Amino acid sequence: MGVISIPTSKKTPAAPGRKTSRTTTASKKSTAKTAAKKTKTATATSGKGKILIVVESPSKAATLSNMLGKNYIVRSSKGHMKDLPKSRLAIDIENNFTPEYILVQGKAALKNELLKLAEESSGVLLASDPDREGEAIAWHLADILGIKPDEKCRVRFYEITENAVKSAVKNPDYIDINKVDAQQARRILDRLVGYTLSPLLWKKIRFGLSAGRVQSVALNIICEREREIMKFVPDPYWVITANCETSDRKNKYELRPEKLDGKSLMKNSIPLLINTEEKANEIIAEIKANKIIVSEFKTKNASHAAPAPFRTSTLQQEASRKLSLVPAHTMRIAQALYEGINIPGRGHVGLITYMRTDSLRISNEAIDACRDFIKANFKKEYLPAKPNIFGAQSKSKNLKVQDAHEAIRPTDINLTPDSIKDALTPEQYKLYSLIWRRFTASQMSPAVSAKAVLKAEAGRVELRQEGETLIFDGWSCLWPIDLKGTELAEIKENEILTLTKVQSENKFTKPPARYSEAGLIKTLEENGVGRPSTYATIAGTLESRSYIEKNEEKRFFPTALGLTVDEFLAQYFNRKDLSSIVDAGFTAQMEKELDEVEEAKRKWLDVVGEFWKEFSSTVDEAQDAPHVALPAPEPIGEACPECGHDLVKKRGRFGEFIACSNYPACKYARPILSNIGVKCPKCGEGDVVQRKSKKGGKTFYGCSRYPDCDYVSWNRPAGEKCPECGADLYKRGSTIFCANCKYKAQVNEG
C-alpha cells in the first residue's frame, strides 16, 4: 500500500486524508452561502455585526464575555464538534487512512446556532485550547463555519487575563495544520489499535475487553512490577544502633556500624553484609568491649537550588502526594483556575496559565513580576542576583513543541492564595496555593544546609552518623525541603563517647513498591510514554476496564484479568518492531514521531502507514493464537444459601465479591467485608468493615450490623479516642488524627 505525501503549508487547503467522507460534503451545503457572501476574517472590524469567538467550555465563554465587552459574542462549542463515530472503525485504510468525522451526537442545534451567529457577525475567531487537540477542534469548527484555510481565524490564550486576551484577539493567527496533522495521526493510531485489538481480545480471552496504545504500556509497567514483587525473595539483615553520649551528657548520638576490619558492611545504603545473627552479635560484642573514640567530625555547607515551576506531570504528582488528588481531578480543578474565577473587585480572571504543558519556560514579564514581589515581601537575601532559569528555557531552540507554552504559574503573582481564599472552593484554594508557592519558590535564593559526618571507632568496628542542619531556608520558606538526618552537635576528634545502649533489629529487604498515581506518572514521563494531555486519564482507563485496582495504600496492582491481557499482548505485540505496542521504548519513539509531524519534519501519513504495515501483520499472526483461559473463580469453602452450589470469589467493576458458581441460574451475591479489627464507634456491638461505594467504587467504612446500625465513615477508624477532645480518632498510613481538633500522632507499625 502506497503512502502519499501531503503539503503542510499553513495557507494550503486541506489535502487528501484530511477531508471527511460524510460531514464535509454535508457542511458545504450549509456553509457555501456563508462563505460566498463574505470572508470571515478575524481582523474585520467594519460592518454592523459583532465578532464571534468560539471557545471550548461554557465557563471560559463567560469569563471572556466579561473581559471583551459588547463588540464580541462568545459561545462555547462544548468540546469537539466533530469526531469519529464510536460504532465502527471509521478509518478508510485503503484510501490513505482517511478518517470519517461526523457531527458529535446532540450538537445539531449548537451547529445551527453557530452558523447563524457566524452569518450575522463581522468576523469569527476560533479560541479552543492552545494544544494539539484544541487545534483539531478549531480545524473542525473552521470546516463547519466555512472559514477558508488562508484566513487568520485562530487565537490562543495561554493565560486568561484581560491584557493577554485582548492582545491575542488583536493578533489572530492561522490554524496550525502541522498540529492538526499530529493530533489526527494520534487519533487514527489510537483508533487503529483499539478497534483492531479489542475484537482480538474478545476472541482469544473474553468478550467486552479492550486495549489501547498508551494504556497497554502503562498496564505492562504495572504488571511487570507485580511480577517482580511475586518473584522477590527477601534477604535478612540486622540494623545495629549504638546510642552514645559525651562525658558531660549534653550531646547524644546514634551511631551505626559501617565497616568491620576495614571492609564495608553496606550495600545500597543497607547493612546487607550483617546477614546473620551471629555476625550481628559479633559486632555488638566488639562495640561493648572497646572504647568508642571519635575519629572524624566534618561539616560542609551545601547549596540547594530552587525547584522548577510545575509542568503538567509534576503538578499531578505533587497534587497526588500532598493533596491526595487523583490526576483527573487535579486537571479539572486546574481547568477551572485557568478559565477564570470571579474575584471581588477584579471580575472573572484566569488565575493560572495553561495547565497542559511540558515546558519549564517562563516569560520575562512573569519573572520580573515575581522578583518584584519577592523584593517587596522578603528580606533582600531571598532574592538571587539573577533570575533562575530552568531546563527548556535555556535550550528552547531544541524544543520547538514547547516554545509557545510556559510552565504552570499564577497569572498575577500579587494574587496570593490567602488574599483570594474566600473566592475559591477549598480544593481550588489548595491547588492554587500549591502552584503559587512552587512558582514563587522557583525564583528565590538557594537554601543552604550544613551537612555533618561523625565517624568513630570501637576496636575492629567503624561507626558512622550523618546529620544535616538548615542554615538559610531560602526558597524552602515556601516549599518543603528534604534534609538528610537530624542536627549533629559538633565534637572533637579523639573524644571518647560513653555507650549507653546498643541494640540490633532483624529486618528483611523489601520488594519494589507498587506504583502510586504519582509514581506511575513519573515513570511514564521518564520513559517518554504519553503527553501532558494523556497522563490524567491513563490509570483511570485501566481501572474502569478492571485491569488494575488500588489497595489501601492507594497503590496500583493488576487484577487476574489485567495480568492475563498483559501476558497475551506481551507475547504477540512486544517484538521490538513497529508492532511493539506494549514496549515503552517503541511508544516513546511514536510520541517523538508525532512531535516531528508537528514540527513539519515528517508526514503524518508516513508515520501511520509505517506503523500499520507491521501492526496489521502481527494482528494477522495473533489470529491463530490459542484461546486463553482466565483463572477460575476461587471457591471460599461455603455453600450458596439459596441453591447449595459452591460460593466463589468473583471480580466486578468495584473489586472482588462473593457470588454463586451456579450463576446465571442463581444470582446470589454479597460483598466481601474486610474486618479492620475495630468495634463500631456508634453501637459498640458490630465490627467496622471496609466497603466499596456503589458510585465510583470508593472505599468507606461501616458497621457489620448494617442496616441495624447505620455508622459510616470515609476515614478509617483507629478504635481510640482523642486525648485532647475525646472524639474518635482515625488512621491514615502511620498517622492517627482527630477530625474534630488538630491532634495528630505517629503510630508504631512494627
Side-chain angles (χ1 to χ4, degrees):
M1 176 172 50
V3 177
I4 66 169
S5 298
I6 58 175
T8 55
S9 170
K10 290 180 179 178
K11 296 188 179 182
T12 303
R18 294 196 193 119
K19 291 184 178 179
T20 68
S21 60
R22 180 175 295 184
T23 55
T24 301
T25 302
S27 65
K28 281 181 180 178
K29 295 178 181 178
S30 59
T31 59
K33 183 179 178 181
T34 303
K37 184 175 181 180
K38 58 182 177 180
T39 298
K40 300 296 184 186
T41 51
T43 52
T45 56
S46 61
K48 296 180 181 180
K50 300 177 181 180
I51 293 179
L52 171 65
I53 299 180
V54 186
V55 297
E56 285 186 44
S57 74
S59 59
K60 189 192 292 187
T63 301
L64 293 178
S65 293
N66 291 332
M67 287 182 179
L68 292 171
K70 62 182 181 179
N71 292 325
Y72 295 86
I73 300 173
V74 187
R75 290 292 185 270
S76 166
S77 68
K78 299 178 182 178
H80 288 270
M81 289 294 292
K82 287 184 178 181
D83 201 358
L84 299 172
K86 295 180 180 179
S87 59
R88 59 188 183 279
L89 178 63
I91 305 293
D92 190 347
I93 296 171
E94 301 303 322
N95 186 24
N96 293 318
F97 302 96
T98 302
E100 181 190 339
Y101 295 114
I102 65 171
L103 191 70
V104 172
Q105 188 175 6
K107 291 199 172 181
L110 178 58
K111 171 189 171 183
N112 292 334
E113 179 192 359
L114 293 176
L115 279 168
K116 183 179 179 182
L117 289 171
E119 175 76 21
E120 297 169 350
S121 69
S122 61
V124 179
L125 291 171
L126 306 176
S128 46
D129 286 349
D131 55 17
R132 289 178 188 167
E133 189 169 9
E135 210 70 22
I137 290 173
W139 181 60
H140 285 309
L141 281 166
D143 179 60
I144 289 172
L145 300 179
I147 299 174
K148 296 179 181 179
D150 60 352
E151 293 183 31
K152 287 189 174 183
C153 62
R154 182 76 168 109
V155 292
R156 303 176 185 90
F157 303 132
Y158 298 102
E159 59 181 85
I160 300 181
T161 57
E162 191 165 340
N163 288 339
V165 166
K166 289 182 177 179
S167 175
V169 167
K170 290 178 181 178
N171 298 283
D173 197 359
Y174 301 103
I175 291 176
D176 189 337
I177 293 300
N178 295 325
K179 274 189 176 182
V180 173
D181 285 349
Q183 177 62 23
Q184 180 159 262
R186 175 189 289 279
R187 189 78 176 94
I188 291 172
L189 285 169
D190 290 343
R191 178 57 67 104
L192 289 172
V193 171
Y195 279 57
T196 306
L197 273 189
S198 296
L200 180 65
L201 295 179
W202 300 352
K203 180 180 177 182
K204 301 302 177 182
I205 302 177
R206 191 181 77 185
F207 181 79
L209 299 181
S210 58
R213 185 176 60 88
V214 176
Q215 288 83 3
S216 296
V217 180
L219 175 62
N220 182 252
I221 289 171
I222 293 170
C223 289
E224 285 299 308
R225 176 59 55 88
E226 194 68 19
R227 293 182 185 108
E228 287 181 58
I229 293 170
M230 289 189 287
K231 293 176 183 177
F232 183 80
V233 179
D235 293 321
Y237 65 95
W238 274 255
V239 175
I240 299 171
T241 304
N243 297 93
C244 305
E245 62 184 17
T246 53
S247 56
D248 58 8
R249 297 186 175 180
K250 288 184 178 180
N251 299 321
K252 300 182 185 298
Y253 304 93
E254 292 182 354
L255 297 161
R256 289 184 175 171
E258 183 184 36
K259 293 181 180 180
L260 178 66
D261 294 326
K263 296 181 180 179
S264 177
L265 298 168
M266 312 298 290
K267 188 176 181 181
N268 298 326
S269 301
I270 300 174
L272 292 178
L273 299 183
I274 310 178
N275 52 10
T276 64
E277 189 173 9
E278 291 75 18
K279 192 161 190 176
N281 290 336
E282 177 190 354
I283 293 171
I284 290 173
E286 187 72 13
I287 292 172
K288 287 181 176 179
N290 291 275
K291 293 180 180 180
I292 301 177
I293 304 171
V294 176
S295 59
E296 183 181 289
F297 185 88
K298 286 185 176 180
T299 60
K300 182 181 179 180
N301 287 357
S303 178
H304 304 266
F310 284 133
R311 55 187 188 274
T312 302
S313 62
T314 52
L315 174 64
Q316 292 176 2
Q317 291 170 47
E318 290 301 321
S320 176
R321 293 189 187 105
K322 292 182 168 61
L323 306 180
S324 298
L325 293 175
V326 297
H329 195 182
T330 296
M331 296 309 287
R332 283 194 294 270
I333 301 168
Q335 183 84 30
L337 295 174
Y338 160 72
E339 291 182 349
I341 303 293
N342 189 23
I343 306 297
R346 296 281 295 267
H348 272 79
V349 58
L351 295 179
I352 64 171
T353 52
Y354 192 58
M355 63 287 159
R356 292 185 181 91
T357 175
D358 52 6
S359 175
L360 295 177
R361 189 180 70 83
I362 298 294
S363 69
N364 292 332
E365 294 81 3
I367 290 176
D368 291 342
C370 187
R371 286 175 60 81
D372 288 343
F373 180 88
I374 295 169
K375 184 177 181 180
N377 292 276
F378 294 84
K379 294 180 180 179
K380 62 180 181 179
E381 54 265 31
Y382 286 83
L383 182 67
K386 295 181 179 179
N388 295 328
I389 306 298
F390 298 93
Q393 186 164 343
S394 61
K395 299 178 181 178
S396 60
K397 64 181 181 180
N398 298 322
L399 294 163
K400 183 176 181 293
V401 173
Q402 300 175 347
D403 194 47
H405 292 264
E406 288 189 59
I408 304 170
R409 62 167 176 82
T411 57
D412 185 349
I413 193 69
N414 294 296
L415 288 176
T416 63
D418 288 342
S419 70
I420 59 173
K421 185 175 183 180
D422 292 343
L424 306 176
T425 67
E427 287 184 330
Q428 288 172 346
Y429 168 74
K430 289 176 182 177
L431 191 66
Y432 179 69
S433 180
L434 209 66
I435 294 168
W436 187 93
R437 288 188 292 111
R438 179 70 168 238
F439 172 66
T440 309
S442 75
Q443 288 301 318
M444 298 182 80
S445 298
V448 181
S449 67
K451 293 186 175 182
V453 177
L454 167 62
K455 294 183 180 180
E457 295 179 356
R460 298 155 47 218
V461 179
E462 294 180 36
L463 302 106
R464 178 188 181 98
Q465 183 180 359
E466 294 182 4
E468 190 170 12
T469 308
L470 195 63
I471 299 174
F472 172 61
D473 56 0
W475 56 264
S476 71
C477 67
L478 289 178
W479 193 260
I481 186 172
D482 292 326
L483 297 180
K484 188 175 182 179
T486 57
E487 182 177 358
L488 280 185
E490 188 173 354
I491 189 170
K492 295 180 180 179
E493 292 183 10
N494 298 319
E495 187 168 341
I496 298 175
L497 294 172
T498 301
L499 180 67
T500 58
K501 183 181 179 182
V502 62
Q503 57 188 350
S504 67
E505 182 181 3
N506 182 202
K507 293 190 174 185
F508 293 86
T509 53
K510 295 182 179 180
R514 292 185 173 103
Y515 289 104
S516 62
E517 294 261 16
L520 180 62
I521 290 172
K522 183 178 180 182
T523 300
L524 291 170
E525 185 184 36
E526 288 174 348
N527 283 279
V529 176
R531 282 298 182 262
S533 60
T534 64
Y535 295 135
T537 60
I538 291 174
T541 301
L542 293 175
E543 282 189 279
S544 69
R545 293 173 177 171
S546 297
Y547 290 166
I548 64 172
E549 288 185 359
K550 281 181 187 173
N551 60 17
E552 280 193 31
E553 288 74 39
K554 296 185 177 181
R555 291 182 175 270
F556 295 120
F557 65 93
T559 63
L561 176 62
L563 285 166
T564 302
V565 170
D566 178 67
E567 287 169 2
F568 179 82
L569 293 177
Q571 181 177 356
Y572 292 96
F573 296 91
N574 193 12
R575 306 188 310 179
K576 306 302 179 185
D577 60 19
L578 287 176
S579 64
S580 305
I581 63 164
V582 298
D583 178 61
F586 162 75
T587 305
Q589 177 61 30
M590 183 61 68
E591 296 291 355
K592 183 179 178 182
E593 291 182 14
L594 292 175
D595 290 345
E596 290 173 349
V597 172
E598 181 173 339
E599 296 166 2
K601 294 178 180 177
R602 294 205 66 185
K603 303 292 191 295
W604 75 267
L605 280 171
D606 292 344
V607 172
V608 174
E610 289 171 9
F611 167 79
W612 179 249
K613 181 179 179 181
E614 297 286 349
F615 178 73
S616 59
S617 174
T618 305
V619 171
D620 289 342
E621 292 177 23
Q623 297 290 348
D624 297 327
H627 185 270
V628 179
L630 287 169
E634 178 187 348
I636 66 169
E638 187 180 330
C640 175
E642 294 185 3
C643 73
H645 283 76
D646 290 337
L647 291 179
V648 295
K649 281 185 181 179
K650 288 190 174 182
R651 187 173 296 276
R653 183 181 177 189
F654 301 127
E656 287 187 326
F657 63 98
I658 303 296
C660 182
S661 59
N662 194 30
Y663 179 86
C666 176
K667 296 184 179 180
Y668 174 82
R670 68 171 189 254
I672 294 177
L673 302 179
S674 176
N675 192 324
I676 69 169
V678 172
K679 284 293 181 183
C680 175
K682 186 171 184 178
C683 71
E685 298 178 28
D687 296 316
V688 176
V689 294
Q690 181 179 311
R691 298 177 183 267
K692 293 276 189 179
S693 65
K694 291 182 179 180
K695 186 176 181 180
K698 185 177 179 182
T699 297
F700 72 98
Y701 302 89
C703 181
S704 60
R705 293 180 61 244
Y706 178 84
D708 295 328
C709 176
D710 61 357
Y711 172 80
V712 290
S713 171
W714 290 116
N715 294 314
R716 181 188 180 104
E720 302 175 29
K721 297 291 184 181
C722 176
E724 295 184 2
C725 72
D728 293 324
L729 289 177
Y730 299 93
K731 186 173 184 287
R732 184 182 296 122
S734 61
T735 302
I736 57 173
F737 65 95
C738 179
N740 187 52
C741 69
K742 295 183 179 180
Y743 176 79
K744 189 179 290 187
Q746 296 296 118
V747 294
N748 188 346
E749 297 286 358

